[in-house]
Amino acid sequence: QVHVVESGGGSVQPGGSLRLSCAASGTSGSAYFMRWFRQSPGKERDLVASAGSLSQTDYADFVKGRFTISRDNTENKMYMQMNSLEPEDTAVYYCNVILPHGNFWGQGTQVTVSS
């Protein structure tokens, strides 16, 4: 059974930084893609960043230059360094893992940016 677990969320002031982690266990295959999504109350879940199996990365325009995604393909782990955080970045951040046998989600980790 595949488990996806996020960690690293918390509360920071505007301009601060956080580092999120995601780990997928229960699978021996390397993920095709590992992605971060986020969702604020009353809004849709948005794609934030993605990392492919060849370490190719892509970012939403609203985080380019501020967030950096990386992954460890050998262990199906992914990280996202978030710098210059803004109140608009407040959301629950979800890790999504696309494996050969399915699409899996974590429970999410809360990020709050407030003064």
Side-chain angles (χ1 to χ4, degrees):
Q1 186 175 1
V2 177
H3 288 281
V4 179
V5 178
E6 304 97 337
S7 62
S11 296
V12 294
Q13 294 186 341
S17 299
L18 284 173
R19 186 174 187 251
L20 303 184
S21 299
C22 169
S25 60
T27 177
S28 59
S30 180
Y32 292 145
F33 279 93
M34 298 186 75
R35 305 182 294 180
W36 288 104
F37 285 77
R38 72 185 189 186
Q39 188 169 23
S40 303
K43 296 186 178 181
E44 295 184 352
R45 190 172 295 189
D46 292 325
L47 177 62
V48 177
S50 64
S53 58
L54 300 179
S55 297
Q56 67 273 36
T57 58
D58 195 19
Y59 299 90
D61 286 343
F62 53 79
V63 302
K64 282 183 179 177
R66 302 189 297 125
F67 292 9
T68 303
I69 191 173
S70 60
R71 62 179 283 185
D72 179 346
N73 290 337
T74 62
E75 297 187 358
N76 281 331
K77 292 183 178 179
M78 176 175 65
Y79 310 93
M80 185 162 70
Q81 179 66 39
M82 305 187 296
N83 297 329
S84 301
L85 283 162
E86 305 167 351
E88 293 74 21
D89 296 316
T90 296
V92 178
Y93 284 72
Y94 296 92
C95 178
N96 172 243
V97 181
I98 302 177
L99 293 163
H101 52 284
N103 189 348
F104 301 90
W105 293 86
Q107 293 299 306
T109 184
Q110 176 71 45
V111 171
T112 302
V113 185
S114 174
S115 56

